[in-house]
Amino acid sequence: MKAYDVGAVAAAAVSAGNDRPAMAMVHDHDDGRLVVFRLAPGQQVATHTSGSSVFMTVVSGSGFVSGGDGERAVGPGEFLAIAPREPHGMRAAEGELVIAAVITPRPGSR
């Protein structure tokens, strides 16, 4: 078993650019991938699709997650399930938003 401190992982997450959310690949295996996103106020992950199922939990903060049924406000403790090929994205509101996502199977592994 591997255990991860999601707060520490989020704090250490790195952004690809000043205007892009920070992201940390926590665990990567053919069966699934665990990713932590840290979005500063106003940042977003643009709507996209994946051939995998995506399960997100809001660790801290508030913001919005979009799915096939539109966009909804989210807060700490919420868990969301995104079906394969369902368009989805996320954006922070006025504060920082931390989301942990499990993507299964890992994209491109099957």
Side-chain angles (χ1 to χ4, degrees):
M1 172 175 39
K2 295 183 180 184
Y4 303 99
D5 178 336
V6 71
V9 169
V14 177
S15 174
N18 291 339
D19 60 338
R20 301 195 52 174
M23 184 185 96
M25 183 80 61
V26 179
H27 188 84
D28 194 22
H29 187 274
D30 286 349
D31 291 334
R33 180 177 277 171
L34 175 58
V35 182
V36 173
F37 296 91
R38 188 182 77 243
L39 292 81
Q43 286 184 330
Q44 69 176 0
V45 172
T47 301
H48 60 284
T49 60
S50 170
S52 301
S53 294
V54 180
F55 302 98
M56 296 183 215
T57 188
V58 181
V59 177
S60 62
S62 62
F64 302 89
V65 171
S66 61
D69 296 334
E71 185 177 70
R72 69 182 300 271
V74 295
E78 290 192 66
F79 194 72
L80 305 133
I82 307 293
R85 289 172 283 295
E86 179 179 355
H88 60 282
M90 63 187 92
R91 67 182 172 93
E94 296 174 12
E96 184 176 85
L97 173 64
V98 176
I99 290 183
V102 175
I103 305 162
T104 182
R106 181 181 74 196
S109 66
R110 296 187 184 151

